[in-house]
Amino acid sequence: MESTKIERIKELTELLTRASRAYYAEDREIMSNFEYDRLYDELTALEEETGMVLAGSPTQTVGYEAVEELPKQHHETPMLSLGKTKSREELKDWLQDKSGILSWKLDGLTIVLTYREGRLEKAVTRGNGEVGEVITGNARTFKNLPLTIPYQGELVLRGEAVITYQDFEEINGKIQDEDAKYKNPRNLCSGSVRQLNSEITARRNVRFYAFSLVSGQDKEFDNSRQAQMRFLGEQGFAVVEYRMVDRENLLETIQYFEQKVENYEIPSDGLVLAYEDIAYGQSLGRTAKFPRDSIAFKWADETRETRLLEMEWSPSRTGLINPVAIFEPVELEGTTVSRASVHNISIVKELALGIGDRITVYKANMIIPQIADNLTRSGNLEIPCKCPACGGQTQIRQMNETQSLYCTNPDCAAKKIKAFNLFVSRDAMDIDGMSEATLEKFIARGFIREFADLFHLSKYKEDIVQMEGFGEKSYGNLIDSIEAARRTNLPKVIYSLGIAGVGLANAKVICKYFDHDIEKIQNATQEELAAVEGIGEVIAGAVVAYMQNPQNREQLQNLVKELDIVIPMQAPNSQTLAGKSFVITGSLNHFANREELKELIEVKGGKVTGSVTGKTECLINNDISSNSSKNKKAKELQIPIITEDEFMEKYL
């Protein structure tokens, strides 16, 4: 029996380590939070029972190792995880007769900030608790983070970088490719904070909420954690919402947060309770992993038992077929739910799903429906061997230890519709009037088989004007939009191809590196592409795989013949704005829009960001006297505010 328990410890240690690596270092999930917590608790109990803890056990380590792309730095004070409970009575027993601070446990990315002489000097992610990633440039773009503060001594604090549900929905809504959409705000925030290009971070509306003060040089707080929180608020930081509690009002205060979380705009996966008496909390010391002055309270997930009715298999542009569980409707957290994404084949197998099984479902962070457990575990679910959209053969592929289902038919209708939908989208070829429904009709009738065919739709005028929703005027508008789309630039063309992982920003970087020469890009090796800043091995591999496919090369050549690709002129002395960063706001007089001016600045080697920082060369705004937030920030940082005419005279 003892050997069986030891084997289970080894199995759980390896499984939870892989899940932690996926979550913290790779921004993906191979199991639900519910399942992770259940297995973690099982491992903890087995370790206590047997007295055996393996080296590298997730109960003894914190987070995961920092990724390679960003500079690393050791934390002066280790960043430990928190012990946790889902029991309100345990929380009361932990607090005893002391007073405490109860606050949100926000679900984002923990950051350590250091200020010296009133200025932000350094921002470092939590990483593995001992070593984090330096993201100072990105932190300067956080929407609500003060770059300068009144306090002039050295100040070190911790907080959570988060993205609100509203911003998450808006950002995901702009992504045409279903495969590229983010699963939850936490993953989006993690990817945004750890970008190599701070301009991307600035566009993501990342916010920072302080939750603890690590040290304040020559500053006394009368042994009060609440005084520390007030001090941070006085310095201009958004401080996580908190309430003072004692044994008498603790349960009532938990209920307050519980009612509020249903409509709270910031992702939260529970609460944190900390002793108000700083000295008392510090006197308790720490375990190998947890501090004893605070504890996390995780919401006891409301689960409902229901019956699995069917599994919907949803094909996407890349051929990935996503399993979506359809079950008998149940009430969860005040709403009726009847479907939940199962994410991949690995999770289908882990849950041993079968039609008719009794399953339990919950809402992750009280928001996203998930399957918690399968009570029946029949394992009789048939993985489709044919694509539900085209009838083509499917294949289970394993990547990064995760099995997923793919359609192998290159002519799959679902792939084509999603691919064409990306191609005509605004950031790609920008063809107005070409909805997904219209594309579906054109594909079904054989009007379009590859991208170049879109530029020959005039051959089918008689058929199109007779189609429902079309007429002479609609047809004319569509053809005009198609003709206008012929004149474009290479980054938009590369992005429109739908290569996995290549967004418009990456496409711009690649095109600039290869001198906007499409042949150089087509013939680039994986090593050459991986050397491009911000690209890396995975994206490089995807580009090479796409370009080396004979059918893709032929279709790209056909497409290029239809286009007038504008190549930016880059004479030897044209990089006059290299190393300079600009911000543009307001309306313009000499340019059609801000995007046109931005492209001109980029051609000359400069950068355009969304937020004014200490590194901004100048803010371009024709309304210099306005009280806009960008003007205020520029004045605060003593960044010049100049008009469009002044910019042209000085820099162009």
Side-chain angles (χ1 to χ4, degrees), residues 15 51 109 115 189 204 275 334 341 368 370 379 386 441 448 462 484 494 504 521 553-554 560 575 578 593 603 642:
L15 177 59
L109 199 67
Y115 287 76
C189 183
R204 300 285 176 79
Y275 292 117
S341 173
I368 304 168
Q370 301 280 307
K386 293 186 181 299
K441 292 175 184 176
I448 51 177
E462 292 184 9
I494 298 299
L504 184 57
I521 297 172
R553 289 181 76 93
E554 181 182 352
V560 170
Q575 302 294 288
N593 49 46
V603 165
I642 65 175

Side-chain angles (χ1 to χ4, degrees), residues 479-495:
I479 295 300
D480 288 345
S481 182
I482 290 172
E483 290 303 311
R486 289 182 185 273
R487 185 173 173 81
T488 186
N489 58 53
L490 191 56
K492 286 192 172 187
V493 174
I494 298 299
Y495 168 61

Side-chain angles (χ1 to χ4, degrees), residues 80-82 94-95 100-101 225 272-286 290-295:
L80 305 177
S81 295
L82 295 179
W94 182 89
L95 186 60
I101 285 183
R225 191 179 291 266
V272 175
L273 178 60
Y275 292 117
E276 155 69 356
D277 186 324
I278 297 173
Y280 174 76
Q282 291 176 342
S283 72
L284 300 176
R286 48 174 279 192
F290 307 129
R292 290 195 173 100
D293 65 347
S294 52
I295 186 172

